[in-house]
Amino acid sequence: MLLTIEKWFDKISHVIGHLCSGLMLVMMLNIFYDVFMRYLFKSGSIALQEMEWHLFSVIILLGTSYALMEDSHVRVDVLYAKFSDKKKALVNIFGAIVFMMPIALLVALSSVGFVMEAFTSNEISSDPGGLTHRWILKALIPFSFWLLIFMTLGFIIKNINIYRGVTKAYFRKQEEL
């Protein structure tokens, strides 16, 4: 049953990864257009420049969940690299429960007021010609950390499967078919 749940979390992670990839492409096109217009036609747009860092923020905020599930997050590998798969799984489970969950929960809960303040004040860019509705971007902060908490549960399940030896056996069986 845990293997089925792990596969479900992996599918969600892949959707997030594809979304971030698409947003990265949009961001690159935005930057290309902005630079092209600025240097060739001496015409620029504050809104497009702001959109660059808005897109970058979305990619980073959503990409953390994808990076976690793909096991490509930052960690100190001095000792970890020498551990067996079971020890690595235990370290991952411990780190997710003791470090990841509390920090993500803290940010998810404490950022709601920040979003509400931006929404009620109808916060916009302070630059003329900048983007409006800044609360939408700020709302992504608590959303992304709730998503990270949710995906951390999938990461824990994945590592429970690794600890139990189920994941490798399953993938070996799939390769044989």
Side-chain angles (χ1 to χ4, degrees):
M1 181 176 136
L2 286 179
L3 196 57
T4 304
I5 296 170
E6 177 186 342
K7 286 175 24 181
W8 185 73
F9 274 103
D10 283 342
K11 285 180 184 177
I12 294 171
S13 173
H14 285 23
V15 168
I16 294 168
H18 288 298
L19 176 64
C20 288
S21 296
L23 290 173
M24 183 72 78
L25 181 61
V26 169
M27 185 179 74
M28 289 186 318
L29 291 172
N30 182 19
I31 292 170
F32 174 79
Y33 177 80
D34 188 37
V35 170
F36 183 79
M37 293 302 289
R38 189 174 339 131
Y39 289 107
L40 290 180
F41 297 106
K42 305 290 188 238
S43 171
S45 168
I46 300 293
L48 283 178
Q49 288 178 357
E50 287 185 3
M51 184 57 75
E52 291 169 14
W53 65 266
H54 281 221
L55 288 169
F56 184 71
S57 299
V58 173
I59 292 165
I60 295 300
L61 287 169
L62 295 179
T64 54
S65 296
Y66 177 72
L68 175 70
M69 290 303 288
E70 293 299 315
D71 205 24
S72 59
H73 53 285
V74 177
R75 97 168 49 91
V76 180
D77 283 339
V78 176
L79 298 174
Y80 183 86
K82 297 176 184 175
F83 289 168
S84 67
D85 287 345
K86 281 190 172 197
K87 280 187 182 177
K88 286 179 182 179
L90 286 176
V91 168
N92 288 340
I93 293 167
F94 176 79
I97 293 170
V98 174
F99 299 113
M100 179 78 73
M101 289 289 223
I103 296 294
L105 189 60
L106 177 71
V107 174
L109 294 174
S110 64
S111 62
V112 172
F114 178 64
V115 174
M116 293 307 295
E117 184 180 322
F119 178 74
T120 56
S121 69
N122 198 24
E123 184 178 348
I124 63 171
S125 172
S126 59
D127 294 321
L131 296 174
T132 60
H133 299 82
R134 186 154 293 164
W135 65 269
I136 296 172
L137 180 65
K138 289 185 175 184
L140 210 56
I141 297 169
F143 173 79
S144 67
F145 279 90
W146 283 114
L147 179 64
L148 183 61
I149 290 168
F150 179 70
M151 297 307 281
T152 300
L153 294 174
F155 182 71
I156 291 169
I157 290 170
K158 179 183 283 191
N159 281 283
I160 289 171
N161 286 338
I162 290 170
Y163 182 78
R164 291 176 46 221
V166 174
T167 303
K168 284 190 173 185
Y170 172 79
F171 288 121
R172 261 190 253 118
K173 197 181 278 185
Q174 291 293 71
E175 288 174 2
E176 291 172 2
L177 297 174

